[in-house]
Amino acid sequence: MSQPKNLKKLTRARMERTGESYTTARKAILTNRPEPVSAQNAAKRTAQSQSAKAQAAPAVELTEELPEYPAPDDVQQYDAALWHRVLTQAGVTHPLTGEPLSEALLFGLGGGIGFMLHSFSEAQTFSLALTTRAHPEPFSANLVERSGTKVRIRTTGNAQAAAANLDAGLDAGRAIVVRVSRAALPWINPAEVDPADTIDVAVLGEMDDALLIDAGTDQLELISPEDLATARAKHKRDKNYCAWVPSRRAPKPDLLRVSVLASLEQATGRMLGSSELPGLPAHYARNFGVAGMRQFAERLSDTTGETGWPQLLASDTLRHEALRQLDQFLSERRFAATDGFRGLFAAFLNEAAQLPELSPLAAHTATYQQLTERWKSFTSGLRQSLTGELDIDALANLGTELHALADAESSAATALSDTVEKLAGH
């Protein structure tokens, strides 16, 4: 049986006129069953009324269509900020303050800070991967689970089931997080992103025949249902993933307390190299945390080795490409930030200290605030060293600075780990 292209829109319009359920209205349209006469007359009166109002009233802005969904202002970390907006729209609040769960709290629950840098050159191309947040643990999945909120998650290999899952969330009046291939999004230049890169965006509703998308920018994006379906189905892992919040239920303080301690154990263990890498060989550990920082520091000053940056970036073309990729990581604020996310982590510690029996965490806030400025100094210097001609001495000085920063990170993580261990009663 052929279906109208805008079947869902027609179904909802009929529901409003007749009072029928979604299933009944949809079946009636597919079988060409006429509407009751009373509904037809009511539709005429409604159309006349709406026409008169449209002539008198100005056009409605997109932001006015979703007053309960906060704008993406002052985003510190992409995923934590996205879920802050989604949970706020669902009405979920902090159990102690009654305010929405903050971006800082969600960032910390996702795992907080970390470090990993991987770089290589091959066939006159340069590739850079930088993260200063928790890694390689699944950041968003940990954030959702540890938040203690009720989140309905669906994945499917069936396109029709994927569309039905999306409709179910929208029909419930909820913003829906979907995982998409970034290169497949119409507003992204595929040449500037990794084809394997996926990103979570929020579907907020419909406008005409398009879907409203929150992709963390200053304005909502529009995408056709067909383009969104293609972007969702690009990768087999988490294929057609979607998640929404069906309940306003707030997490319990004791659960948040346990989640905070679990997150901090993860963050300090990864920075200090005392926890195993999930799903990765043990020797990969040298790329993460303090060990990874020291390794990168050595590569900045290594003028003879193939992995040393003076050798890797001797070409102007590769050096400019390295700067482009570095700027992309720092500006997108998904995996890395100019301050290493240390300021956001300090805010997390300060907020977590308000939970039952966690007040000692506040003593570590100042340390991570100080690390914020040191990270800003380092990332600024790294950018400058890649601008213009190659400055080997500048790279060597950055290596020295990063070694000192690694020492400070090690001390901070060790002290925080000791506090967490006492609070957890180990």
Side-chain angles (χ1 to χ4, degrees), residues 107-128:
F107 170 75
L109 292 174
I113 58 172
F115 179 83
M116 190 280 292
L117 185 138
H118 181 62
S119 61
F120 68 93
S121 177
E122 184 178 24
Q124 293 303 304
T125 62
F126 182 81
S127 294
L128 171 71

Side-chain angles (χ1 to χ4, degrees), residues 335-346:
F335 300 101
T338 55
D339 69 347
F341 294 126
R342 269 52 182 179
L344 192 58
F345 191 66

Side-chain angles (χ1 to χ4, degrees), residues 21-86:
S21 68
Y22 184 90
T23 302
T24 301
R26 184 177 184 276
K27 184 177 181 180
I29 292 173
L30 291 175
T31 57
N32 294 316
R33 189 170 73 232
E35 296 178 7
V37 175
S38 58
Q40 295 177 17
N41 293 336
K44 291 179 182 179
R45 291 192 298 271
T46 300
Q48 294 171 352
S49 175
Q50 290 179 342
S51 176
K53 290 180 180 179
Q55 294 176 2
V60 179
E61 297 291 336
L62 283 180
T63 52
E64 295 177 4
E65 294 281 354
L66 299 160
E68 72 279 13
Y69 192 88
D73 294 330
D74 193 27
V75 170
Q76 302 297 302
Q77 196 281 323
Y78 179 92
D79 300 281
L82 182 73
W83 275 102
H84 161 72
R85 297 192 293 276
V86 169

Side-chain angles (χ1 to χ4, degrees), residues 1 37 90 156 251 279 292 315 337 342 355 358 366 388 423:
M1 181 184 297
V37 175
T156 177
S315 161
R342 269 52 182 179
L355 291 167
L358 295 188
L423 291 172

Side-chain angles (χ1 to χ4, degrees), residues 163-407:
N165 289 336
L166 184 64
D167 288 345
L170 291 176
D171 288 343
R174 293 292 190 253
I176 306 163
V177 176
V178 298
R179 191 157 295 158
V180 298
S181 166
R182 194 158 173 244
L185 294 173
W187 53 87
I188 296 294
N189 181 354
E192 296 182 354
V193 299
D194 185 342
D197 187 17
T198 59
I199 189 171
D200 289 352
V201 299
V203 183
L204 307 185
E206 299 171 303
M207 183 174 181
D208 297 328
D209 292 326
L211 296 169
L212 292 169
I213 300 293
D214 171 16
T217 58
D218 293 336
Q219 62 182 18
L220 300 180
E221 304 286 354
L222 289 172
I223 189 171
S224 71
E226 295 79 12
D227 284 345
L228 182 63
T230 298
R232 294 179 65 194
K234 277 285 185 180
H235 296 283
K236 292 183 179 180
R237 182 181 179 183
D238 294 331
K239 191 170 186 179
N240 292 316
Y241 168 98
C242 71
W244 70 96
V245 186
S247 170
R248 299 167 57 94
R249 185 184 66 193
K252 296 183 182 301
D254 287 341
L255 186 148
L256 282 180
R257 176 185 181 278
V258 172
S259 294
V260 163
L261 293 177
S263 300
L264 291 174
E265 286 181 354
Q266 174 192 317
T268 55
R270 182 64 61 238
M271 287 302 297
L272 297 173
S274 59
S275 58
E276 295 183 1
L277 290 165
L280 293 175
H283 67 270
Y284 273 54
R286 64 175 179 265
N287 297 313
F288 294 87
V290 172
M293 294 175 67
R294 297 196 192 284
Q295 177 178 252
F296 183 39
E298 293 170 0
R299 291 181 176 179
L300 286 171
S301 57
D302 181 3
T303 59
T304 59
E306 293 182 355
T307 59
W309 273 37
Q311 291 287 330
L312 280 179
L313 303 180
S315 161
D316 289 346
T317 300
L318 295 185
R319 192 164 61 258
H320 294 157
E321 178 60 17
L323 178 60
R324 184 192 71 79
Q325 293 183 39
L326 176 65
D327 280 343
Q328 188 173 25
F329 272 101
L330 296 176
S331 62
E332 289 175 353
R333 305 190 71 86
R334 291 175 62 200
F335 300 101
T338 55
D339 69 347
F341 294 126
R342 269 52 182 179
L344 192 58
F345 191 66
F348 162 65
L349 291 173
N350 191 55
E351 186 170 340
Q354 312 307 313
L355 291 167
E357 303 177 9
L358 295 188
S359 58
L361 293 178
H364 299 273
T365 300
T367 299
Y368 282 96
Q369 285 286 12
Q370 293 167 1
L371 286 173
T372 293
E373 298 305 317
R374 297 184 68 166
W375 272 101
K376 287 181 179 179
S377 172
F378 173 74
T379 54
S380 175
L382 187 60
R383 287 197 68 264
Q384 292 176 9
S385 72
L386 300 177
T387 305
E389 296 183 1
L390 181 66
D391 189 337
I392 295 178
D393 291 337
L395 289 177
N397 291 335
L398 281 171
T400 301
E401 183 178 352
L402 187 55
H403 268 303
L405 182 51
D407 290 339

